[in-house]
Amino acid sequence: MVQPLTYFKETPSQTAGPYVHIGLAPAYAGFDIFENNFSNVVAGPNTKGERIKVKGRVIDGTGTPVRDVMLESWQANSEGKYNHPEDSQDKAVEEDFLGWGRICSDFDTGVYTIDTIKPGPVPGRNGAIQAPHISLWIVARGINIGLQTRVYFSDEVAANAKDPVLNFVEQEERRQTLIAQRSEENGEVIYTFDIYLQGEQETVFFDV
Amino acid sequence: MTIERPNRPAMVRKPGEYFQRDRDIHPPAFTPGYKTSVTRSPQKALLSLEQSLSEMTGPVFNHNAIGELDHDMILNYAKDGEPIGQRIIVHGRVMDESGKGIPNTLVEAWQANAGGRYRHKKDTYLAPIDPNFGGCGRCLTDEEGYYYFRTIKPGPYPWRNYINSWRPAHIHLSIFGPSFSQRLITQMYFEGDPLIDICPIVKTIPDEEAIKRLIAPMDLNASVPLDCRAYKFDIVLRGRRSTLFENRLEGN
C-alpha cells in the first residue's frame, strides 16, 4: 500500500447551450440587466497600437455558419505585454487595455467581430519569441468543452515562420488555418478569420 | 541568534504550468446522443501545447465591474415584485485541484425560471416568462474562494433532441481562474432529480463519478429558516505545478 494521492478532480465541462447569451451577454438575449456589460471591445481609446478588427464566422461540419456561438479572446498589447500580474516584462500596460473580449456571432449572419489593436510579439518558452497572436476560446450549443485556438496575422510572414507553436503543427498546410487574412475596407484594417469546426478545412485546436 | 547555512540556498517554489487536463473526465467532442455535437465536433486530434505566457495568463476582473445586486437573481430583475418559485441559495467554493481556494475570480450563472422558460429571444417554449426574473447573475469569489448566488430553483425544460427530451433542472456556470487555460463552462444539477440519469447532455460525460460531481446536494445548514433553502456546489479548476528546484532562467 502507498499513501493516497489526494488531488481534487477538475469539474467536468458541459455545453454552454443555445442561451449562453442570457448569462454572459444579456443584451444579445434581448434584455438589459447589468450596469456594466462585457463586450467585444478589447482596447480603449488610449491604448497604443494599430486599430484592427478580426472578423469571421464559425462553420460547422456541413458548411453552415454557427449562429449561436460565443468566443472570448485574450491577447497582449502592442508592446507584447499581457495585462496580468504574472507578466514580469518591464513594459507598461495602458489602463484602458483589458486584453480580453467577449464576442457573440450575429444571429442572422453568424459573423463575429473583435474590435482591438494588433498585439506585439510575446515571449515563448525557452527564450523563443512568439509571433503576434490572439488566443481564442469558443463555446456554443453542441460544443461539449470549449475549443482553444489562435489567430495569427498574414502580414507577419517572417515572425510566423519562426513561431514555435505554428512550427509545432506537423502538416504545413494546416498552419494556414491559424492565419487571418489582412484587408482594408473603408480605411479599416480587417483580418478575416473563419473557424472550421470539422472536416477538410478543419481549424487547428489546441489542448493547452 | 541567526544560524548561518552558507551552502543551503532557500528552496524555491515558483508557480509553474497548470496541470495537464484529464480529458477522460470531460465529455469528448463527438457524442452522437447529443445530436448537435455531431456536426460541431472536430475530427482531428487536438494539438497539445506546452504552456507559455499566453496560456498562463488571463483576464483579471475587479469589483468595479460587478454591481451590488448582480449575484442576487431574486432581486436583480425584480420589477413590481419578486419572482415566483422555490427560493434557494447556491453556494460553494472555487478551488484548484490541490484544494487551494481561488480568490477574486469571476463566476457567472444563468438559468431558466421556475417553469423552465428562458428569458431569451430564441426561446419559444409555451411556459410563461416571469416578469420579475431575468435569470442571470455574477459575482467574484472572496479571499478564500467562496461564492454564492440567491435565486429561484429552475424548472425542467423540453428541447428538440429526441421527441420527448427534457433537461433536468440546471444552472449554467461560467468560471475563469487566473489563467486562460482554466476557462470552464459547466452545468449544475440538483440532488434527486430523476431526469439527470436520462439526459443526453449529462451523458456526454463518460465517467459516472464525474457526473456526480455536477450534482449539488441540498444543504440545510446553509438555508435561511422561513426564507430559502440552499444547495452546495464546489467548483474545481485545474491545479498548478510549483517547480521545487528552479534552476532555469525567467520565462522558461
Side-chain angles (χ1 to χ4, degrees):
Chain A
M1 293 296 284
V2 298
Q3 293 183 3
L5 191 58
T6 49
Y7 288 104
F8 291 90
K9 288 186 168 174
E10 194 187 5
T11 299
S13 171
Q14 290 268 265
T15 180
Y19 306 130
V20 58
H21 319 90
I22 294 176
L24 305 188
Y28 277 82
F31 70 112
D32 182 32
I33 182 164
F34 298 134
E35 207 174 309
N36 292 318
N37 287 289
F38 302 129
S39 80
N40 65 337
V41 181
V42 175
N46 299 321
T47 301
K48 285 176 280 187
E50 186 184 20
R51 301 275 142 182
I52 64 165
K53 287 202 163 101
V54 178
K55 229 176 192 175
R57 295 176 305 169
V58 178
I59 295 159
D60 76 10
T62 70
T64 309
V66 177
R67 295 180 178 91
D68 52 12
V69 70
M70 193 202 80
L71 304 95
E72 287 180 356
S73 67
W74 176 241
Q75 67 169 87
N77 72 3
S78 60
E79 307 261 291
K81 169 131 174 144
Y82 284 104
N83 182 12
H84 190 276
E86 288 184 39
D87 186 336
S88 56
Q89 299 177 83
D90 186 19
K91 296 172 182 171
V93 183
E94 299 85 350
E95 255 184 36
D96 63 354
F97 177 72
L98 185 54
W100 173 80
R102 178 170 279 169
I103 307 107
C104 298
S105 63
D106 182 271
F107 283 126
D108 296 321
T109 62
V111 173
Y112 76 83
T113 308
I114 309 173
D115 188 337
T116 186
I117 49 108
K118 195 172 170 198
V122 297
R125 294 170 59 86
N126 302 318
I129 307 284
Q130 305 189 73
H133 65 275
I134 299 175
S135 299
L136 289 185
W137 184 70
I138 304 155
V139 295
R141 176 172 67 106
I143 296 178
N144 290 324
I145 180 164
L147 295 167
Q148 297 258 11
T149 189
R150 284 182 172 200
V151 182
Y152 288 86
F153 302 95
S154 61
D155 54 331
E156 294 285 344
V157 178
N160 290 345
K162 286 188 190 157
D163 182 79
V165 170
L166 282 174
N167 279 303
F168 201 44
V169 179
E170 191 181 335
Q171 299 83 5
E172 266 188 72
E173 62 274 18
R174 294 205 72 210
R175 293 175 196 166
Q176 295 306 315
T177 70
L178 300 176
I179 296 175
Q181 296 303 318
R182 183 181 173 114
S183 63
E184 287 185 31
E185 281 171 33
N186 312 321
E188 277 189 331
V189 177
I190 309 278
Y191 285 94
T192 302
F193 190 72
D194 287 332
I195 296 160
Y196 291 86
L197 295 179
Q198 188 185 82
E200 266 180 43
Q201 297 166 272
E202 192 171 300
T203 300
V204 174
F205 297 107
F206 299 108
D207 185 12
V208 301
Chain B
M1 195 174 79
T2 314
I3 301 168
E4 290 199 21
R5 291 173 173 160
N7 297 321
R8 290 195 56 185
M11 187 164 71
V12 179
R13 280 171 62 102
K14 188 186 170 199
E17 295 166 41
Y18 288 82
F19 295 168
Q20 176 183 306
R21 184 166 255 164
D22 180 357
R23 295 260 165 192
D24 291 340
I25 57 127
H26 287 288
F30 177 71
T31 49
Y34 173 27
K35 294 182 182 182
T36 317
S37 76
V38 172
T39 59
R40 294 185 174 190
S41 44
Q43 291 166 329
K44 296 182 170 67
L46 300 179
L47 182 63
S48 292
L49 223 55
E50 290 165 293
Q51 293 185 342
S52 70
L53 202 52
S54 305
E55 288 75 36
M56 286 158 62
T57 57
V60 178
F61 300 93
N62 63 41
H63 286 269
N64 304 337
I66 309 288
E68 246 173 59
L69 284 179
D70 284 5
H71 70 291
D72 190 337
M73 293 186 245
I74 293 180
L75 295 181
N76 69 13
Y77 203 75
K79 302 291 180 196
D80 57 3
E82 292 189 3
I84 288 171
Q86 299 180 33
R87 298 160 69 86
I88 59 169
I89 289 168
V90 173
H91 76 114
R93 202 167 152 244
V94 180
M95 60 181 134
D96 72 11
E97 290 168 295
S98 304
K100 218 170 116 192
I102 300 180
N104 306 314
T105 205
L106 183 63
V107 182
E108 297 166 284
W110 69 101
Q111 61 168 92
N113 69 21
R117 176 69 188 270
Y118 282 99
R119 185 177 287 278
H120 191 292
K121 58 186 175 192
K122 297 284 174 189
D123 186 4
T124 55
Y125 179 34
L126 49 77
I129 287 279
D130 183 331
N132 295 308
F133 190 71
C136 63
R138 55 191 190 179
C139 63
L140 291 174
T141 56
D142 73 8
E143 291 306 312
E144 273 140 21
Y146 283 94
Y147 75 94
Y148 81 97
F149 294 101
R150 242 173 40 124
T151 189
I152 297 295
K153 191 178 175 196
Y157 170 81
W159 58 302
R160 293 186 180 276
N161 191 64
Y162 302 122
I163 287 297
N164 195 14
S165 289
W166 293 77
R167 295 302 323 282
H170 63 281
I171 298 178
H172 297 265
L173 290 160
S174 160
I175 314 99
F176 280 81
S179 89
F180 207 49
S181 71
Q182 289 168 300
R183 195 71 184 87
L184 184 74
I185 280 183
T186 189
Q187 301 182 28
M188 174 200 126
Y189 304 99
F190 293 85
E191 179 180 12
D193 187 338
L195 289 167
I196 294 172
D197 285 347
I198 56 171
C199 175
I201 289 181
V202 174
K203 288 207 279 193
T204 59
I205 299 171
D207 179 331
E208 285 286 326
E209 282 302 311
I211 290 173
K212 283 183 192 156
R213 286 187 277 116
L214 293 184
I215 305 173
M218 189 176 72
D219 181 5
L220 265 189
N221 289 341
S223 296
V224 180
L226 306 179
D227 181 343
C228 61
R229 288 178 304 130
Y231 285 86
K232 184 167 192 290
F233 191 68
D234 288 333
I235 297 162
V236 181
L237 300 182
R238 292 166 70 178
R240 190 166 198 184
R241 285 184 220 162
S242 67
T243 312
L244 286 179
F245 301 100
E246 183 63 38
N247 55 9
R248 288 197 278 175
L249 295 170
E250 185 74 21
N252 283 6

